[in-house]
């Protein structure tokens, strides 16, 4: 069975005259990296938001394993099963990087049995941030005082912090230099191939698309299988 | 726990906004504290006075009704005519004589179960044929004319006490040249008299006399004096009178501070002179009084157990035959006059508090919802990470609560520090606002009694002197000019309650907003 199944998904923003997504059908499996390419405004971010469980589709259904997202606790789904790297980072800008990590870890702990251990989590957070190139000094700086690239990396570390089944990323390497981009892409592929997770990346980058196992195209709200 | 710690962190993370919120909450709490502190203290005082004055019962003539009766009995003559005419004294006397509380009644009323305690004084004209009295030389000049006419000026001097005896041939009776007082120590409290020698009378037959009377007669502590008084029975043609002999032992000598002659020499007569007053115990004066006799004026003030026993007490007195023209009253006007500045103060602070709470509440709710709108993005992020709405609300509420608690501590401290000066200032304004007429009204109460005691306004100083007799005892009714505010436990609890109410009001306003936000919409707006 697929990890994630999209069945004829349509979505229209409130008050919009047109669908942002129309009849999207797709399946996503464990252990694979997916790339979704497409022009700006074609509906990529919208699709990721629905996969992230931020809203439910207007028509059709999205299934996580054997459950319709409409029927499960989407708060738990978001905090435990899926990690999202937003195009706009969506970090808590007044807090520092570690605090961003800790809050995310705290939220996911409420869905798990083990109680939240602040000290242990803090060390984990520092390690994860170091993995994406954020040292301790930067990790304790207000996010607002980090560069765009650094914020992006914090966003990536945060998405991985609770060890989700699915990692979705919206233009994750847009702001990164070449070296860091390579590091991040290595992390994504390792996450899929070594840890058996499902990674879905929205991208313009040829390089990103090239490391993907499957590349999908998005055009005017419909999904096409690209070559 | 983490969520609460995090919310405390959040307070620091968003300093600017939180300081603004804190200033507003602090202002509301501090003003509420000040007004509540003043209010609760004022209420306590008002209650206290209400209890004291509300249970203090006087029996006074229903002046309005009496005047009404006079007016109707004289047809179209009008009030001016009555009081302008020479018959005034007589009229007053006749009417007053009919409606006075008898001495026996005054004494019996004190036995009522509703009466907790009472203050009672008795007075009686007295006569001595052996003592030299102060102004005694002038008595001869005035001569018998004094009691010659029914409506004569002096007749009403004795008010109800002598009201019934005008029918007797003056030659057959003792012409008073002294006055005997039982339990009348008010002047010592007022500072008008002081003990010059010896002590106050405490036992039956003990007396205190003035320094002048003692000197005129070479009297010393331990000497005995014999004076007479008259008690009468019946009325009209059937009136009978008897002479009572008082053998009194002088145990004290008092010094009187008032001018030697109260009328400034206009009228000099020994029975008008305060220095001829012989002070003794209540019992000494009233014990000779027979069941149907008159001749003693008894003044009583009764203190009830509870103010609301007044109707029961009155019913009992009416049952015992109290004249309908006599009112059983508490001195409400006096109580109101005293607490007026405090009531005014309380009204000012109450109004102010309501305004502050309403305005502050509105500002707070608006600010809280603005601040939530500002934090919409943050809320979107947290929700996107899967934070439950419940936890989000808990976090926001703990932020609000922490802020409130800080402001509460500061507000209570500052409030309790400034409450006293603010109270003083406001009270001073209230006192200034009391018009002179109102003060005069307070002071004039005794004067009203004086009018019906038969002394009339024209007699000047004497009105005041005997005023208390018919009007009942009056207490000095100075408006309160000081209020020592204090922060009681109840007040603290009330302020905490109000603060929590405000915090939850602001909390509800934010929560109402949060529930409107869906993470998708918030976050996609930014993409
Ligand atoms: N919050 C929104 N309300 C209404 N329409 C939106 C909103 N966000 C995006 N859209 C519209 O939905 C379509 C898809 O947008 P989006 O998913 O952001 O495209 P992409 O990520 O591929 O650039 C666009 O036509 C965009 O204008
Ligand atoms: Mg996009």
């Amino acid at each position: 069975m697929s990890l994630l199944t999209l069945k004829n998904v349509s979505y229209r923003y409130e008050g919009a005259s047109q669908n942002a997504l129309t009849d999207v059908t797709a399946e996503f499996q464990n252990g694979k990296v997916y790339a979704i390419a497409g022009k700006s405004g074609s509906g990529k971010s919208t699709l990721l938001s629905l996969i992230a469980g931020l809203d439910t589709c207007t028509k059709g259904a999205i299934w996580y394993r054997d459950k319709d997202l409409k029927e499960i606790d989407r708060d738990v789904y978001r905090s435990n099963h899926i990690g999202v790297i937003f195009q706009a980072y969506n970090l808590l800008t007044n807090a520092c990087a570690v605090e961003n990590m800790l809050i995310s870890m705290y939220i996911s702990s409420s869905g798990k049995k083990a109680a939240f251990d602040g000290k242990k989590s803090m060390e984990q957070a520092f390690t994860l941030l170091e993995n994406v190139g954020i040292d301790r000094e930067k990790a304790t700086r207000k996010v607002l005082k980090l560069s765009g690239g650094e914020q992006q990396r914090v966003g990536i570390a945060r998405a991985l912090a609770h060890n989700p089944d699915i990692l979705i990323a919206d233009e994750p390497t847009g702001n990164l230099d070449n070296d860091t981009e390579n590091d991040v892409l290595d992390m994504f592929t390792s996450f899929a191939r070594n840890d058996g997770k499902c990674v879905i990346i929205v991208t313009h980058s040829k390089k990103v698309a090239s490391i993907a196992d499957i590349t999908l195209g998005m055009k005017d709200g419909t999904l096409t299988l690209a070559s | 726990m983490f969520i609460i710690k995090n919310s405390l962190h959040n307070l620091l993370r968003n300093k600017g906004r939180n300081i603004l919120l804190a200033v507003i909450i602090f202002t509301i709490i501090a003003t509420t504290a000040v007004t509540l502190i003043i209010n609760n203290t004022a209420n306590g005082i008002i209650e206290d006075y209400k209890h004291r004055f509300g249970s203090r019962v006087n029996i006074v003539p229903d002046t309005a009704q009496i005047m009404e009766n006079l007016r109707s009995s004289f047809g179209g003559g009008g009030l001016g005519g009555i009081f302008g005419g020479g018959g005034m004294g007589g009229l007053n006397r006749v009417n007053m004589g009919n409606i006075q509380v008898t001495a026996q009644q005054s004494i019996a009323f004190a036995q009522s179960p509703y009466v907790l305690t009472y203050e009672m004084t008795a007075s009686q004209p007295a006569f001595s044929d052996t003592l030299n009295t102060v102004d005694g030389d002038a008595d001869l000049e005035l001569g018998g004319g004094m009691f010659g006419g029914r409506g004569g000026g002096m007749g009403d001097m004795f008010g109800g006490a002598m009201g019934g005896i005008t029918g007797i041939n003056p030659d057959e009776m003792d012409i008073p040249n002294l006055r005997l007082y039982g339990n009348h120590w008010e002047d010592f409290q007022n500072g008008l008299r002081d003990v010059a020698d010896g002590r106050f009378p405490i036992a039956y037959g003990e007396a205190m006399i003035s320094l002048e009377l003692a000197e005129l007669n070479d009297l010393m502590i331990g000497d005995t004096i014999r004076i007479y008084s008259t008690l009468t029975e019946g009325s009209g043609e059937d009136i009978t009178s008897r002479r009572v002999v008082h053998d009194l032992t002088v145990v004290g000598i008092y010094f009187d501070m008032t001018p030697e002659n109260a009328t400034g020499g206009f009228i000099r007569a020994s029975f008008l002179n305060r220095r001829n007053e012989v002070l003794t115990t209540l019992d000494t004066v009233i014990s000779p009084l027979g069941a149907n006799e008159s001749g003693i004026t008894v003044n009583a003030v009764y203190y009830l157990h509870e103010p609301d026993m007044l109707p029961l007490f009155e019913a009992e007195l009416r049952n015992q035959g109290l004249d309908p023209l006599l009112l059983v009253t508490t001195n409400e006007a006096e109580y109101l006059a005293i607490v007026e500045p405090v009531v005014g103060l309380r009204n000012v602070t109450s109004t102010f508090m309501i305004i502050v709470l309403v305005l502050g509440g509105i500002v707070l709710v608006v600010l809280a919802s603005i601040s939530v709108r500002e934090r919409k993005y943050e809320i979107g992020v947290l929700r996107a990470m899967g934070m439950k709405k419940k936890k989000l609300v808990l976090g926001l509420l703990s932020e609000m609560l922490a802020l409130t608690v800080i402001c509460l501590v500061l507000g209570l401290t500052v409030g309790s520090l400034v409450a006293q000066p603010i109270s003083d200032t406001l009270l001073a304004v209230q006192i200034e606002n009391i018009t002179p007429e109102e003060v005069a009204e307070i002071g004039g109460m005794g004067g009203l009694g004086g009018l019906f005691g038969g002394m009339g306004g024209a007699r000047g100083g004497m009105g005041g002197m005997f005023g208390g007799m018919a009007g009942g005892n009056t207490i000095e009714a100075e408006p309160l000019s000081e209020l020592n505010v204090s922060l009681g436990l109840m007040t603290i609890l009330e302020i905490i309650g109000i603060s929590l109410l405000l915090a939850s009001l602001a909390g509800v306003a934010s929560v109402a907003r949060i529930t409107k936000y869906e993470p998708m919409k918030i976050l996609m707006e930014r993409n």
Side-chain angles (χ1 to χ4, degrees):
Chain A
M1 191 213 299
S2 301
L3 186 61
L4 200 66
T5 313
L6 275 62
K7 294 178 185 166
N8 307 100
V9 171
S10 295
Y11 186 81
R12 182 180 292 200
Y13 283 97
E14 236 178 61
S17 56
Q18 269 187 319
N19 278 356
L21 296 174
T22 312
D23 234 1
V24 173
T25 298
E27 283 187 20
F28 299 93
Q29 313 281 354
N30 291 96
K32 290 202 166 127
V33 177
Y34 297 83
I36 299 174
K39 272 195 254 170
S40 148
S42 58
K44 305 183 296 294
S45 295
T46 307
L47 184 66
L48 284 195
S49 300
L50 290 183
I51 292 174
L54 294 181
D55 202 358
T56 51
C57 39
T58 325
K59 262 189 213 148
I62 298 175
W63 287 62
Y64 170 69
R65 296 182 192 267
D66 55 351
K67 297 242 165 50
D68 190 334
L69 280 194
K70 276 176 193 142
E71 272 137 40
I72 63 172
D73 184 336
R74 279 182 295 128
D75 287 327
V76 174
Y77 171 71
R78 285 202 293 264
S79 62
N80 281 279
H81 304 306
I82 195 154
V84 188
I85 300 159
F86 294 95
Q87 193 172 5
Y89 324 139
N90 288 349
L91 299 170
L92 299 171
T93 47
N94 272 328
C96 66
V98 181
E99 287 170 334
N100 268 275
M101 301 285 287
L102 281 176
I103 288 172
S104 169
M105 289 158 115
Y106 165 75
I107 295 172
S108 62
S109 78
S110 60
K112 290 173 186 151
K113 284 204 176 106
F116 178 71
D117 179 344
K119 271 226 173 90
K120 208 173 120 198
S121 303
M122 182 103 81
E123 280 316 307
Q124 277 176 353
F126 277 124
T127 313
L128 278 166
L129 284 166
E130 264 160 29
N131 286 349
V132 292
I134 301 290
D135 60 27
R136 282 182 178 242
E137 188 274 316
K138 282 179 185 156
T140 48
R141 220 192 273 171
K142 254 197 182 187
V143 164
L144 218 53
K145 289 177 181 166
L146 297 174
S147 73
E150 287 163 342
Q151 290 188 35
Q152 181 72 302
R153 281 181 271 173
V154 175
I156 291 166
R158 188 183 63 181
L160 296 171
H162 57 273
N163 192 25
D165 293 337
I166 308 165
L167 179 72
I168 56 179
D170 201 343
E171 311 271 7
T173 58
N175 281 309
L176 303 181
D177 57 75
N178 240 340
D179 281 356
T180 327
E181 183 180 17
N182 287 336
D183 287 352
V184 165
L185 289 179
D186 280 350
M187 285 177 69
F188 285 171
T189 48
S190 155
F191 199 58
R193 289 168 197 149
N194 300 337
D195 300 338
K197 312 286 181 170
C198 172
V199 178
I200 307 169
I201 308 166
V202 163
T203 188
H204 278 118
S205 153
K206 285 251 159 61
K207 187 157 77 203
V208 175
S210 72
I211 60 127
D213 299 303
I214 296 162
T215 304
L216 301 165
M218 191 91 197
K219 199 187 170 198
D220 298 335
T222 56
L223 201 61
T224 55
L225 197 64
S227 53
Chain B
M1 254 359 262
F2 175 83
I3 198 96
I4 290 166
K5 250 201 237 163
N6 186 57
S7 60
L8 293 182
H9 273 264
N10 266 343
L11 281 182
L12 298 175
R13 283 178 198 143
N14 309 297
K15 267 189 219 123
R17 178 182 58 221
N18 286 323
I19 287 174
L20 179 65
L21 264 176
V23 166
I24 289 168
I25 298 176
F26 167 79
T27 310
I28 296 173
I29 292 179
T31 36
T32 310
V34 169
T35 48
L36 262 184
I37 289 169
I38 296 175
N39 249 26
N40 287 352
T41 312
N43 273 339
I45 285 186
I46 292 166
E47 268 310 302
D48 178 51
Y49 270 86
K50 190 174 182 177
H51 194 269
R52 281 202 269 152
F53 280 77
S55 57
R56 185 180 187 278
V57 179
N58 283 314
I59 297 172
V60 296
D62 186 347
T63 52
Q65 192 56 49
I66 292 164
M67 289 202 192
E68 183 53 39
N69 290 356
L70 280 174
R71 196 178 287 140
S72 54
S73 67
F74 280 83
L79 203 60
I82 297 163
F83 285 94
M88 169 188 162
L91 277 173
N92 264 341
R93 191 188 62 236
V94 168
N95 281 279
M96 288 306 296
N98 288 344
I99 59 159
Q100 206 125 31
V101 190
T102 65
Q104 289 85 349
Q105 278 178 320
S106 289
I107 294 161
F109 294 166
Q111 303 311 311
S112 162
Y114 305 113
V115 172
L116 174 69
T117 180
Y118 57 91
E119 287 164 7
M120 196 178 284
T121 63
S123 75
Q124 188 177 22
F127 160 74
S128 167
D129 48 5
T130 51
L131 292 176
N132 295 315
T133 56
V134 185
D135 281 343
D137 54 329
D139 290 351
L140 299 171
E141 290 167 29
L142 282 167
M146 192 159 63
F147 285 87
R150 276 181 64 103
M154 296 303 166
D156 54 331
M157 172 71 220
F158 300 102
M162 297 286 281
I165 67 169
T166 44
I168 310 176
N169 182 351
D171 299 336
E172 289 172 12
M173 57 174 286
D174 303 326
I175 296 169
N177 53 5
L178 296 167
R179 197 163 181 92
L180 192 59
Y181 270 100
N183 198 31
H184 183 74
W185 316 117
E186 210 180 69
D187 290 337
F188 292 89
Q189 287 152 20
N190 294 343
L192 295 178
R193 281 178 181 161
D194 207 353
V195 181
D197 196 7
R199 57 166 174 84
F200 288 109
I202 44 172
Y204 181 89
E206 291 183 341
M208 194 177 215
I209 57 173
S210 72
L211 194 59
E212 289 81 355
L213 200 61
E215 278 170 358
L216 273 174
N217 300 284
D218 279 333
L219 289 171
M220 290 196 303
I221 306 287
D223 289 346
T224 51
I225 52 175
R226 168 167 292 197
I227 62 178
Y228 308 103
S229 64
T230 307
L231 291 174
T232 61
E233 195 169 343
S235 62
E237 300 301 312
D238 303 328
I239 199 158
T240 58
S241 67
R242 71 178 173 101
R243 185 190 244 196
V244 179
V245 181
H246 300 275
D247 285 320
L248 303 174
T249 310
V250 177
V251 297
I253 290 171
Y254 67 84
F255 176 67
D256 197 297
M257 323 266 181
T258 58
E260 272 253 14
N261 191 295
T263 65
F266 177 61
I267 304 172
R268 292 205 305 134
S270 50
F271 63 85
L272 287 181
N273 200 302
R274 282 167 55 83
R275 286 159 177 77
N276 294 325
E277 291 176 4
V278 176
L279 311 180
T280 180
T281 64
L282 182 68
D283 208 27
T284 310
V285 182
I286 63 175
S287 62
L289 184 70
N292 297 311
E293 285 180 323
S294 59
I296 298 175
T297 305
V298 172
N299 288 303
V301 179
Y302 307 99
Y303 294 88
L304 305 183
H305 291 276
E306 289 297 328
D308 54 15
M309 285 179 175
L310 182 67
L312 296 169
F313 184 55
E314 174 166 7
E316 191 191 324
L317 302 198
R318 299 279 177 227
N319 240 355
Q320 292 188 28
L322 185 70
D323 194 296
L325 282 175
L326 289 166
L327 297 176
V328 180
T329 64
T330 55
N331 230 332
E332 202 184 14
E334 208 167 346
Y335 142 71
L336 287 177
I338 289 173
V339 298
E340 186 184 341
V342 177
V343 170
L345 175 70
R346 186 190 57 181
N347 292 345
V348 169
T349 53
S350 298
T351 315
F352 192 64
M353 181 168 80
I354 289 166
I355 292 170
V356 166
L357 279 182
V358 169
L359 282 186
I362 291 170
V363 170
L364 206 59
V365 164
V366 169
L367 244 152
S369 54
I370 286 175
S371 105
V372 166
R373 198 164 353 151
E374 259 178 45
R375 300 177 73 171
K376 187 162 97 169
Y377 163 69
E378 184 189 330
I379 291 163
V381 171
L382 289 171
R383 293 279 291 127
M385 285 196 281
M387 185 176 267
K388 296 222 170 274
K389 270 184 189 168
K390 254 194 292 183
K391 286 230 160 127
L392 201 63
V393 167
L394 182 68
L396 283 172
L397 286 188
S398 10
E399 266 182 54
M400 202 67 195
L401 194 70
L403 202 62
T404 308
V405 168
I406 295 167
C407 295
L408 187 65
V409 172
L410 289 176
L412 262 181
T413 313
V414 172
S416 57
L417 287 180
V418 300
Q420 187 66 60
I422 290 178
S423 165
D424 292 345
T425 313
L426 291 178
L427 196 61
V429 172
Q430 289 300 319
I431 290 167
E432 262 173 42
N433 283 349
I434 298 178
T435 59
E437 294 91 81
E438 279 171 301
V439 175
E441 202 174 281
I442 302 162
M445 266 172 224
L448 192 64
L451 177 67
F452 283 87
M455 297 308 282
R459 306 260 165 99
M462 279 186 275
M465 184 152 60
F466 288 90
M469 289 162 58
N473 289 349
T474 52
I475 327 177
E476 292 295 309
E478 278 281 309
L480 285 173
S481 58
E482 241 175 81
L483 184 67
N484 284 318
V485 299
S486 63
L487 180 62
L489 181 67
M490 264 324 281
T491 313
I492 293 178
L493 291 180
E494 278 172 20
I495 294 167
I496 290 175
I498 287 174
S499 311
L500 293 184
L501 208 71
L502 282 176
S504 33
L505 198 68
V508 165
S510 2
V511 169
R513 280 227 160 242
I514 291 173
T515 47
K516 282 194 193 145
Y517 295 143
E518 280 304 320
M520 178 85 164
K521 289 183 196 107
I522 302 170
L523 297 180
M524 288 308 274
E525 272 169 26
R526 279 172 64 90
N527 272 348

